Amino acid sequence: MSINFKKGLAEFLGTFVLVLFGTGVAVMSGGDRLLTALAFGLTVVLMAFAVGHVSGGHFNPAVTFTMFLKKKLSALELGVYVLGQVLGAVLASGLLVVFLGSNAALGANTVSAALPQDGFVELLFGGLVELLLTFFFMLVILGVTKSEKTQPFAGLVIGLSLIAIILFGFDLTGVGVNPARSLSPALFQGGVALEQVWVFILFPLLGSFLAAHVSNQLE
């Protein structure tokens, strides 16, 4: 079994469980902010320990893009990782449809009414939230994985930071900061979620780009 296939499989499994548990709890808890934050954060911790030693435990195209920009991954690895992540996320959302018997609510991200209401401006505000949260998330990931002293605790720190991010941004965008996690439920749910999914793909990637650039300046 090739090393790239192993890494892709690890990313597939990690993202599958992350989306299944995270969005599943979000839906079944009726959108409870704390339970959703804990589900996503704890799942990151668990899967980082389960398969993170194989691939680094990204489970998120934004993380993979950041690592590619930091020259820690090749273009081939970037493709393998993202493919595994997207496939794992889509399978998880599809399985939720089977479990829940409906695709009406699958934990998709949408821009909240709490943001300024003015069509495209509203989407830009939502995008700004996603960009800033992703930027912070990537800085934490880059910081905790840089030193050999902190690497053993990376999964825990990253999971805790995701919990904090979701607690803050849940009522604004539902918190994507992960294009695979945002895309997969939107594909099944359709409607507004699918119309707005570009916000949750583009702006987290912009946040990743910014984080990688700032990180370079701090080194």
Side-chain angles (χ1 to χ4, degrees):
M1 186 180 295
S2 72
I3 186 63
N4 281 332
F5 180 82
K6 289 181 181 179
K7 290 179 178 179
L9 180 59
E11 289 298 306
F12 171 88
L13 291 172
T15 312
F16 168 76
V17 177
L18 176 67
V19 174
L20 182 66
F21 285 15
T23 59
V25 168
V27 173
M28 291 184 284
S29 68
D32 184 281
R33 181 192 308 179
L34 178 59
L35 292 179
T36 301
L38 288 173
F40 274 106
L42 291 176
T43 302
V44 165
V45 175
L46 295 176
M47 294 312 295
F49 281 103
V51 298
H53 63 285
V54 178
S55 65
H58 298 182
F59 319 141
N60 181 345
V63 177
T64 301
F65 184 53
T66 301
M67 295 304 173
F68 172 73
L69 293 175
K70 295 288 291 182
K71 303 186 185 307
K72 297 180 183 295
L73 293 177
S74 67
L76 175 60
E77 288 174 318
L78 172 68
V80 169
Y81 275 52
V82 172
L83 178 62
Q85 292 157 359
V86 171
L87 291 177
V90 170
L91 179 60
S93 293
L95 196 57
L96 273 182
V97 174
V98 176
F99 288 161
L100 302 175
S102 170
N103 63 346
L106 294 173
N109 297 115
T110 55
V111 176
S112 171
L115 294 168
Q117 294 291 294
D118 188 17
F120 189 66
V121 174
E122 176 189 1
L123 295 179
L124 290 180
F125 268 92
L128 180 60
V129 171
E130 287 291 309
L131 186 154
L132 292 175
L133 293 180
T134 306
F135 170 74
F136 169 73
F137 193 33
M138 295 308 127
L139 282 185
V140 171
I141 292 171
L142 289 172
V144 77
T145 58
K146 184 177 180 180
S147 169
E148 291 184 359
K149 293 182 179 180
T150 57
Q151 282 179 359
F153 310 101
L156 178 59
V157 173
I158 293 168
L160 289 174
S161 67
L162 183 56
I163 291 174
I165 287 169
I166 293 175
L167 289 175
F168 171 79
F170 188 72
D171 289 336
L172 299 176
T173 63
V175 183
V177 301
N178 183 334
R181 170 263 180 274
S182 298
L183 176 64
S184 58
L187 289 175
F188 289 92
Q189 194 168 314
V192 174
L194 190 56
E195 292 172 4
Q196 295 185 357
V197 73
W198 66 271
V199 173
F200 299 93
I201 295 174
L202 174 62
F203 285 94
L205 294 179
L206 291 176
S208 295
F209 178 83
L210 183 61
H213 178 71
V214 171
S215 173
N216 288 337
Q217 301 306 310
L218 294 174
E219 290 178 353

